[in-house]
Amino acid sequence: MDEKKLEDMVRQALQGIKNKESSRSCDSSSPNKEFNLDVKRDYPLGKKRPELIKTARGQSLEDISLKDVTDGKIKPEDLRITAKTLLMQAEIAEKVGRRQLANNFRRAAELTKVPDNRILEIYVALRPHRSSKEELLSIADELEKKYEAPICASHVREAADVYERRRLLKGME
């Protein structure tokens, strides 16, 4: 396979990653920030407005090459989507009537502030019979206060209430 074709594949993979990964960088802490994007003019962002998409260290998509990856100049955090990009995606989704998708992007933007290992711990804690209601409420408080993630905190609080009603809390087996 030639290097150009491989580089194109890496760029396509980066486009896919932007919808799945998160970063520690956040240009806006407001989940409702408007970027005044136009669906026809700006979507998909990676093709029509690549200058808007930046890595956590401020690099553009065009700054990422296969050579830089193999030379170690591109770090894993450079391949993660930023909160700003997720919020731009949320705005576009909202404008085309995809409210639930927009909300998912906003939650993902909040989670860019939470370390990966903590996200995994929270995921495990949310499994049935793994946590008490107090432990889940403590996680919600942590998300809200420490990581400024009120949408995610609300979901954990809702889970705590639902788990209590359905007897899915630790010790209710």
Side-chain angles (χ1 to χ4, degrees):
M1 177 177 302
D2 69 15
E3 189 171 313
K4 175 68 176 142
K5 190 169 187 173
L6 188 55
E7 193 167 317
D8 288 342
M9 288 174 53
V10 169
R11 285 192 192 283
Q12 287 176 350
L14 290 173
Q15 294 293 358
I17 288 171
K18 76 179 184 180
N19 290 326
K20 297 174 187 160
E21 293 292 308
S22 59
S23 85
R24 306 299 163 252
S25 164
C26 182
D27 297 313
S28 166
S29 60
S30 169
N32 295 316
K33 177 174 173 136
E34 285 286 325
F35 296 96
N36 295 315
L37 297 171
D38 178 81
V39 176
K40 290 185 181 190
R41 179 190 71 217
D42 300 323
Y43 183 80
L45 292 173
K47 287 187 178 185
K48 293 186 177 178
R49 298 296 303 278
E51 75 279 3
L52 295 177
I53 300 172
K54 303 288 183 195
T55 69
R57 296 188 304 161
Q59 297 166 291
S60 70
L61 290 177
E62 287 79 27
D63 293 336
I64 298 174
S65 69
L66 181 59
K67 180 166 178 23
D68 287 343
V69 171
T70 58
D71 289 348
K73 294 178 184 174
I74 303 299
K75 306 291 181 208
E77 58 268 18
D78 294 324
L79 302 179
R80 295 171 175 259
I81 192 166
T82 63
K84 180 180 178 182
T85 301
L86 287 161
L87 292 172
M88 287 189 288
Q89 294 284 50
E91 181 180 320
I92 289 171
E94 191 81 44
K95 286 182 177 179
V96 296
R98 309 256 338 252
R99 174 176 268 167
Q100 185 60 51
L101 180 60
N103 289 337
N104 289 344
F105 282 130
R106 288 185 186 102
R107 278 195 304 279
E110 285 187 353
L111 289 175
T112 64
K113 299 174 191 174
V114 182
D116 292 346
N117 64 332
R118 186 60 182 134
I119 290 173
L120 290 173
E121 291 167 355
I122 292 169
Y123 172 80
V124 170
L126 283 166
R127 295 184 68 199
H129 306 292
R130 296 291 176 100
S131 301
S132 67
K133 185 169 186 178
E134 293 76 23
E135 289 167 330
L136 292 176
L137 294 176
S138 176
I139 289 169
D141 288 343
E142 173 190 8
L143 287 168
E144 191 163 45
K145 294 174 183 155
K146 183 175 182 178
Y147 298 111
E148 299 174 356
I151 300 169
C152 294
S154 175
H155 279 274
V156 173
R157 286 187 186 100
E158 182 180 347
D161 290 340
V162 170
Y163 282 20
E164 183 177 45
R165 283 194 311 272
R166 295 185 180 174
R167 303 191 50 76
L168 297 173
L169 294 169
K170 182 168 48 175
M172 292 184 151
E173 287 90 11

